[in-house]
Amino acid sequence: MTTRRSFLAALAGTSVSLPVFREHAITRVTRAAEIAGERTPERLADDEAYWSEIQRAFDVDRTMVNLNNGGCSPAPTHVLEQMIRDLKFSNELPVYNMWSVLEPRIESVRRDLARDFGCDPEEMAITRNASEANEIMILGLDLKPGDEVVVTNQNYGRMLTTWRQRARRDGIVLKEISFKVPPPSQEYLVDQFRAALTPRTRVIEVTHITNLTGQVMPVKELVELARPRGIEVFVDGAHAYAHFPFQRNDLGCDYYGTSLHKWLLVPIGAGFLYVRKDKQKNLWPMMAAPPEMDENIRKYEEIGTHPAANHNAIAAALAFHRGVGADRKVARLRWLRDRWAKRLAAESDRVRILTPLDSPYSGAIGFFTVTGMDMARLNAWLLEKHRIVNTLINHPEFTGLRITPNVYTTPDEVDLFAEKVLEAIRKGVV
Ligand SMILES: Cc1ncc(COP(=O)(O)O)c(C=O)c1O
């Protein structure tokens, strides 16, 4: 649990030298930590004195209510400034400032991320987003025609597209399973995967938390199911890392890809790929690397000329994240989600929430649908008439709106959204 003592220790424990934290950002997080005292994350979740300090670390456009933090998220101002400083410095003399001064700093970013995720730095590659990390996994394993891969039809669209291309190109067999939302239990989810396995199954790709209804999937149980059968489990954690607390050993997985511009709040263009040491030799990089790098995690970073500023900004975002504390963050996010979701469900019997509430298997992402309402029209009405940004989800098995607040979201913003949805249910969207 994050306490004032652990917050200060967390700051001291990063490789980030304090000057990267703008003075006022330090003051904000320190003041917030003082307000928090020794209270539990749950008791702090509705304390506006604490959370308003965190909100002030962001310069966001408050003329709109952004409830699509699932797509990507604004970064705290001091994190963005760190990146801009590096970009400017780089541009003064890129061949030296970028390659010789800034690029080597990727090693301390690797070390900090590895410590937070709970793996060895030699298992941590920095990528530009989750798509890159996941595609390295999906395209990187040798598979023969007829080899089977099991995914769900709620995996991320780009990942399914990548698998389908592999099926066309390499003749692998892709099995897309379906599951109910919300599922009756985590065991039910494992059973759906188990039923799809055959002696030819080589890979399971699972989304740690889905981008559709925000369902947390039973990754550890799937790894335990797959490993004795020699099946690899690729985990798409685009929405999970820094959203709710967990480490590699909680999952036991060998492969993990994530974006860092979602929940870690890094400016756009950052992600990571974890590959367990003994799995690296057999997982090819997407851009070629020499054979001497076969067992070197840096082979996945052989991407040609790229800005060093993006990956170095990860260090500042990680320090901010530790300052807030993963446990406090998810408690607040669930509180904000419950504030709208439970109200809608209580005030209208036409509302159906497809995200598990009062459950460890969900976080900030909430999904709802309204019986008898055109959800695309509701989405457009909220945006055009009330400047509230949501995400319309059109899945073959369900249609509705995904609502995703973040730590800078205020209760007033969430309340406005809930009031407008209830108004739409009462009066229609005109
Ligand atoms: C589950 C999931 N996987 C992968 C991605 C891809 O992330 P990125 O666009 O950062 O590469 C997303 C993006 O929303 C996602 O939700």
Side-chain angles (χ1 to χ4, degrees):
M1 193 187 87
T2 315
T3 61
R4 185 167 192 279
R5 213 172 313 126
S6 65
F7 158 66
L8 293 171
L11 270 188
T14 61
S15 66
V16 183
S17 57
L18 287 182
V20 304
F21 240 156
R22 233 177 18 164
E23 196 198 340
H24 99 247
I26 276 279
T27 316
R28 291 270 166 246
V29 188
T30 313
R31 199 179 306 143
E34 269 156 16
I35 294 168
E38 304 292 321
R39 276 181 293 163
T40 62
E42 289 71 26
R43 289 205 43 226
L44 198 62
D46 63 350
D47 185 331
E48 294 317 303
Y50 176 86
W51 289 103
S52 62
E53 292 296 337
I54 302 302
Q55 286 153 19
R56 284 185 202 118
F58 295 80
D59 288 313
V60 292
D61 178 353
R62 296 279 177 191
T63 68
M64 298 195 69
V65 175
N66 181 9
L67 295 176
N68 180 11
N69 288 277
C72 50
S73 181
T77 305
H78 71 279
V79 179
L80 181 68
E81 282 177 358
Q82 148 89 20
M83 184 165 126
I84 293 169
R85 268 202 307 277
D86 276 2
L87 279 172
K88 284 184 171 163
F89 174 63
S90 171
N91 195 53
E92 288 167 14
L93 184 59
V95 289
Y96 182 78
N97 291 358
M98 185 175 74
W99 280 336
S100 302
V101 180
L102 296 179
E103 188 58 32
R105 293 185 191 172
I106 196 171
E107 293 305 324
S108 52
V109 173
R110 187 189 317 287
R111 183 191 59 202
D112 284 355
L113 275 177
R115 187 162 45 185
D116 196 70
F117 185 64
C119 69
D120 192 286
E122 295 302 319
E123 300 174 317
M124 175 62 68
I126 317 290
T127 61
R128 289 165 291 186
N129 49 44
S131 300
E132 184 176 30
N134 295 340
E135 294 209 17
I136 290 170
M137 300 184 230
I138 297 172
L139 299 172
L141 196 68
D142 288 330
L143 293 173
K144 296 188 298 299
D147 281 350
E148 293 177 6
V149 171
V150 176
V151 296
T152 81
N153 65 9
Q154 294 187 44
N155 283 36
Y156 189 62
R158 180 172 296 108
M159 281 42 266
L160 291 174
T161 301
T162 312
W163 282 119
R164 288 173 192 146
Q165 179 177 295
R166 256 209 106 163
R168 296 202 304 281
R169 188 173 180 184
D170 300 331
I172 63 161
V173 177
L174 187 63
K175 290 189 160 179
E176 296 182 32
I177 62 174
S178 168
F179 63 91
K180 292 182 206 151
V181 282
S185 67
Q186 296 299 97
E187 188 48 44
Y188 155 87
L189 291 171
V190 180
D191 289 344
Q192 309 313 301
F193 281 91
R194 188 186 288 111
L197 302 184
T198 76
R200 301 221 54 177
T201 310
R202 295 285 319 282
V203 182
I204 291 173
E205 193 228 322
V206 60
T207 313
H208 192 178
I209 171 169
T210 72
N211 62 302
L212 304 174
T213 65
Q215 174 67 44
V216 176
M217 301 296 280
V219 173
K220 180 168 182 281
E221 291 74 9
L222 290 175
V223 170
E224 285 165 3
L225 174 74
R227 190 169 280 140
R229 295 169 165 82
I231 298 170
E232 309 291 345
V233 178
F234 294 164
V235 188
D236 171 359
H239 271 286
Y241 178 69
H243 181 170
F244 48 90
F246 68 92
Q247 284 198 310
R248 190 272 312 272
N249 284 354
D250 300 323
L251 308 176
C253 59
D254 297 325
Y255 310 85
Y256 197 94
T258 190
S259 295
L260 299 174
H261 42 233
K262 293 187 190 289
W263 296 98
L264 192 65
L265 308 173
V266 180
I268 314 300
F272 79 60
L273 169 69
Y274 151 79
V275 184
R276 199 184 285 275
K277 193 74 196 143
D278 62 1
K279 296 286 182 181
Q280 291 170 17
K281 194 168 185 345
N282 290 329
L283 188 74
W284 294 90
M286 267 208 293
M287 290 199 200
E292 308 80 65
M293 293 184 79
D294 271 358
E295 291 175 82
N296 184 340
I297 192 75
R298 292 162 196 76
K299 71 179 176 179
Y300 304 115
E301 296 168 359
E302 288 290 301
I303 57 168
T305 307
H306 59 274
N310 296 50
H311 54 63
N312 290 354
I314 295 170
L318 193 52
F320 182 79
H321 174 69
R322 287 171 156 191
V324 176
D327 41 9
R328 282 185 190 150
K329 182 168 169 176
V330 75
R332 171 68 168 186
L333 293 172
R334 287 184 178 136
W335 181 83
L336 286 167
R337 181 209 57 200
D338 285 355
R339 192 172 169 102
W340 68 262
K342 290 188 172 173
R343 180 172 172 196
L344 292 190
E347 294 190 25
S348 170
D349 56 10
R350 288 171 61 197
V351 170
R352 283 200 311 131
I353 309 285
L354 301 191
T355 306
L357 305 181
D358 300 318
S359 158
Y361 304 118
S362 61
I365 301 172
F367 179 99
F368 78 103
T369 188
V370 183
T371 312
M373 177 168 271
D374 179 339
M375 296 306 282
R377 282 188 66 195
L378 175 64
N379 185 47
W381 180 80
L382 287 167
L383 181 63
E384 285 153 23
K385 288 254 159 83
H386 304 290
R387 300 178 65 77
I388 302 172
V389 185
N390 316 292
T391 321
L392 176 70
I393 302 283
N394 250 326
H395 187 271
E397 292 163 12
F398 47 88
T399 298
L401 298 192
R402 182 187 74 181
I403 306 303
T404 327
N406 209 324
V407 287
Y408 64 82
T409 307
T410 66
D412 281 355
E413 290 174 323
V414 163
D415 290 350
L416 179 73
F417 158 75
E419 275 157 30
K420 291 300 164 195
V421 173
L422 290 169
E423 184 184 317
I425 293 173
R426 277 195 313 273
K427 300 186 188 162
V429 287
V430 276

